[in-house]
Amino acid sequence: MDAKTALLTLDGTTFELPVVMGAEGEKAIDISSLRQKTGYITLDPGYANTGSCQSAITFVDGEKGILRYRGYPIEELAEQSSFIETAMLLIFGELPTQAERAVFRDMLSAQELLHEDLLHHFEGFPPYGQPMSILSAVINSFASYHPDLLDIQTDEEFRLAVAKIISKVRTIAAFSYRKSVGRPFMYPDPNRSYCSNFLHMMFSVPYKEFEPTRAQIKALSLFLVMHADHEQNCSCSTVRMVGSSQANLFASVAAGICALWGRLHGGANAAVIEMLENINAGRMTVKDYIEKVKRREMRLMGFGHRIYKSFDPRAKILKKAAHKLLHDQDMTGDPLIEIAQELEAAAMSDDFFVERRLYPNVDFYSGIILRTLGIPVSMFPVMFAIGRMPGWIAHWYEESKNNSKIHRPRQIYTGPAPRRYVSIEDR
Ligand code: SDX
């Protein structure tokens, strides 16, 4: 029988704290009254043991390698769903009917253009501008272009804001790429699907439209589905924290983009390709790399996870998809996937990784798919951000609906004892 309360004895006094049970049997001790009852706070750097909220969006079981979006297993969504349908599931809570999906698709088409004044933003960046800094800046500027959506009060306002972000994030990403390679912007084509339109904006030229294959469209859609949400990861928690101050949706997801940019989070997919290309260029062997990792000179990027202490289910799906895309594009001889598999095999048979329960994560094979689609490494974190938009929006909305308190963690102070001010002449 599961405990309903937890007993904590401090300085000879025993306190009773409520126990919370999740829908999948996860257990938590509710410490929301701890400081008021005991004068103590808890300390948990990196929040590895701390739940920040209760959420109905995504469930992850790191020990069993389970990932479900609103109860649907990621494996089934990978096989049968599309990115837009998955985005609707995460944001609105249910898989859409055909009619609902058609209405949302029309909303996305109506929102795919950027305000022409916004294009000057791109002129303000240097050609070598970082795509993630452009993306966060332009998304943040939506607050200026859509002041009517700064204080979302109705479902209609929320749906419009959702459509603007989900649709325009592609256009911003593609335009930042076109700017970086000195090519003219290719405007979106409302007659194309979500992923085909993005690839069109990336790779068409004024004199020749790019027509992606079904395999390319499916691979991109799958990549985006795999990245659509992952409960309280660093960037999602950032979006929830910023949203908890009642900051607008645009500012909150722009903050999520900045958090995702880090090498330990959404920047890892680019780091994986750089690692594989280094090995492929003969600068070091797989064995050398593994030894350097074991000497803690570097980390094996795309490996390890705070939650998954077994295989990340997304890594399995993306590994299979990478192989399929390479086969469909007659690129089965691509050396990087061979090196990735060699690295994976070497790590999985080495105690250093086995003891620390380090397995391939979502970033280990995802970069091979993007590279095979012709997307440059500099754009990889941006692709992760496009995929993660639905998750960030869903969590921002859940946070705002729960009318939860502003996130304001406590701390343990370790600084100087009280001291008197000394004027500069006497220092
Ligand atoms: C994502 O949270 C999410 O859900 C994120 C994400 C999502 O969908 O939002 O899944 C996306 O960010 C995936 C992770 C991408 N990052 C990388 O691939 C970067 C490489 N991996 C790591 O740096 C690391 O594994 C983390 C950051 C992902 C997790 O780190 P933790 O949980 O804080 O673990 P840790 O740093 O405390 O490491 C525990 C031990 C340490 O060894 P000891 O000091 O105990 O001997 O494992 C070692 C670490 O040195 N370790 C690694 C390693 N990851 C952890 N050693 C070598 N290579 C690695 N990749």
Side-chain angles (χ1 to χ4, degrees), residues 8-15 37-40:
L8 178 64
T9 300
L10 287 170
D11 311 328
T13 306
T14 298
F15 301 91
K37 278 182 179 172
T38 71
Y40 281 68

Side-chain angles (χ1 to χ4, degrees), residues 226-227 229-235 260 263-266 268 272 293 296 298-309 312 314 352-353 356 358 361-363 384 388:
M226 289 300 106
H227 288 77
D229 190 47
H230 211 243
E231 52 124 293
Q232 302 308 316
N233 57 81
C234 178
S235 52
L260 184 70
R263 271 171 65 81
L264 295 186
H265 191 12
V272 169
V293 170
R296 289 177 182 10
M298 53 179 58
R299 288 201 160 192
L300 181 52
M301 302 311 274
F303 254 69
H305 199 278
R306 174 64 60 78
I307 303 281
Y308 289 120
K309 298 309 174 189
D312 180 335
R314 301 168 297 177
F352 176 90
F353 298 88
R356 291 168 180 77
L358 302 177
N361 60 47
V362 67
D363 292 301
F384 194 143
R388 190 52 55 89

Side-chain angles (χ1 to χ4, degrees), residues 282-387:
R283 286 189 272 277
M284 65 177 84
T285 65
V286 164
K287 190 173 181 324
D288 296 340
Y289 205 94
I290 293 287
E291 290 311 310
K292 275 178 171 286
V293 170
K294 290 166 70 174
R295 292 196 300 271
R296 289 177 182 10
E297 291 171 25
M298 53 179 58
R299 288 201 160 192
L300 181 52
M301 302 311 274
F303 254 69
H305 199 278
R306 174 64 60 78
I307 303 281
Y308 289 120
K309 298 309 174 189
S310 66
F311 234 95
D312 180 335
R314 301 168 297 177
K316 283 183 187 170
I317 295 167
L318 288 165
K319 178 179 181 180
K320 192 175 148 204
H323 274 291
K324 185 174 181 329
L325 182 62
L326 287 165
H327 177 267
D328 291 336
Q329 300 209 168
D330 291 329
M331 295 169 66
T332 46
D334 178 57
L336 295 200
I337 197 156
E338 300 307 324
I339 294 168
Q341 291 181 132
E342 205 185 320
L343 260 176
E344 177 188 344
M348 304 314 291
S349 58
D350 189 301
D351 284 348
F352 176 90
F353 298 88
V354 173
E355 283 161 11
R356 291 168 180 77
R357 298 196 291 172
L358 302 177
Y359 292 82
N361 60 47
V362 67
D363 292 301
F364 195 62
Y365 287 100
S366 58
I368 291 176
I369 291 175
L370 296 178
R371 182 173 174 275
T372 308
L373 290 172
I375 294 170
V377 171
S378 62
M379 290 282 289
F380 283 14
V382 168
M383 298 310 294
F384 194 143
I386 294 174

Side-chain angles (χ1 to χ4, degrees), residues 206-270:
Y207 49 86
K208 189 172 182 343
E209 294 257 318
F210 176 72
E211 288 304 342
T213 64
R214 272 192 55 73
Q216 289 170 327
I217 292 169
K218 184 149 178 53
L220 179 55
S221 180
L222 177 78
F223 171 93
L224 296 174
V225 168
M226 289 300 106
H227 288 77
D229 190 47
H230 211 243
E231 52 124 293
Q232 302 308 316
N233 57 81
C234 178
S235 52
C236 173
S237 300
T238 300
V239 172
R240 287 188 81 119
M241 175 168 270
V242 172
S244 77
S245 73
Q246 297 186 5
N248 65 78
L249 177 56
F250 305 122
S252 302
V253 296
I257 293 168
C258 296
L260 184 70
W261 199 353
R263 271 171 65 81
L264 295 186
H265 191 12
N269 51 19

Side-chain angles (χ1 to χ4, degrees), residues 83-192:
F83 176 58
I84 292 311
E85 186 180 77
T86 298
M88 295 180 77
L89 168 67
L90 285 165
I91 296 169
F92 305 117
E94 295 296 338
L95 286 170
T97 62
Q98 286 182 344
E100 289 164 339
R101 194 175 63 177
V103 166
F104 191 64
R105 273 224 166 93
D106 290 347
M107 288 183 75
L108 293 177
S109 296
Q111 295 300 334
E112 59 194 15
L113 283 170
L114 297 179
H115 190 294
E116 281 295 303
D117 289 350
L118 245 178
L119 303 192
H120 299 306
H121 254 63
F122 294 89
E123 288 156 21
F125 282 93
Y128 47 85
Q130 292 288 329
M132 284 293 262
S133 68
I134 297 172
L135 186 66
S136 57
V138 177
I139 288 271
N140 215 355
S141 75
F142 283 6
S144 301
Y145 284 86
H146 309 293
D148 51 317
L149 296 174
L150 287 183
D151 180 18
I152 292 171
Q153 292 298 326
T154 66
D155 286 350
E156 290 68 31
E157 288 170 339
F158 177 60
R159 297 177 79 86
L160 180 57
V162 168
K164 285 182 185 293
I165 294 172
I166 298 287
S167 190
K168 295 178 193 292
V169 70
R170 285 176 295 180
T171 313
I172 301 165
F175 283 15
S176 65
Y177 168 65
R178 302 290 288 205
K179 158 90 184 174
S180 72
V181 292
R183 285 205 178 148
F185 293 156
M186 287 308 293
Y187 278 59
D189 171 356
N191 300 312
R192 288 173 181 256

